[in-house]
Amino acid sequence: MLLRALGFSDFDADKPTQGYSGGMKRKLSLAIALIGSPPTLLLDEPSAAVDAAAKRHLWRVVRQRERGQTVILTTHSMEEAEALSDRLAIQVAGHLRCLG
């Protein structure tokens, strides 16, 4: 169910991960993070190296996470931060410059 929600076919699910594209590996990483519905998800640039359509799809899956799950996300993309965040912290040279 989770793999299908992320766009994997039955063929993809049985394929060795070495054959996955970078975008498929990102989707797989998100699926692994979501397994077991952890209370906190730590996502490091979850949509890096994926095309625009796949990026929007990944964002939709993150937004549809279980109620009560907290997501801590790192990204260089302000578009991604705006799409996925309720609160933002901006870090510059290793120091928090803005929180809100």
Side-chain angles (χ1 to χ4, degrees), residues 5-100:
L6 285 163
F8 285 88
S9 68
D10 290 336
F11 173 76
D12 293 327
D14 291 332
K15 191 167 143 182
T17 57
Q18 295 91 333
Y20 283 1
S21 67
M24 287 179 71
K25 288 178 181 177
R26 288 290 181 181
K27 290 177 189 180
L28 181 60
S29 293
L30 179 57
I32 290 168
L34 290 167
I35 290 173
S37 302
T40 304
L41 297 173
L42 301 173
L43 304 176
D44 183 21
E45 300 196 51
S47 64
V50 296
D51 62 61
K55 182 182 300 194
R56 302 262 182 308
H57 183 73
L58 285 173
W59 293 354
R60 197 170 21 257
V61 170
V62 170
R63 284 192 304 263
Q64 292 173 351
R65 68 191 181 277
E66 289 197 20
R67 187 174 172 95
Q69 278 185 313
T70 299
V71 175
I72 299 172
L73 170 83
T74 62
T75 184
H76 288 92
S77 166
M78 290 306 290
E79 179 187 18
E80 182 171 53
E82 185 177 355
L84 295 177
S85 302
D86 296 324
R87 296 184 66 203
L88 293 174
I90 297 176
Q91 183 178 351
V92 178
H95 300 283
L96 285 180
R97 299 292 180 178
C98 180
L99 180 63

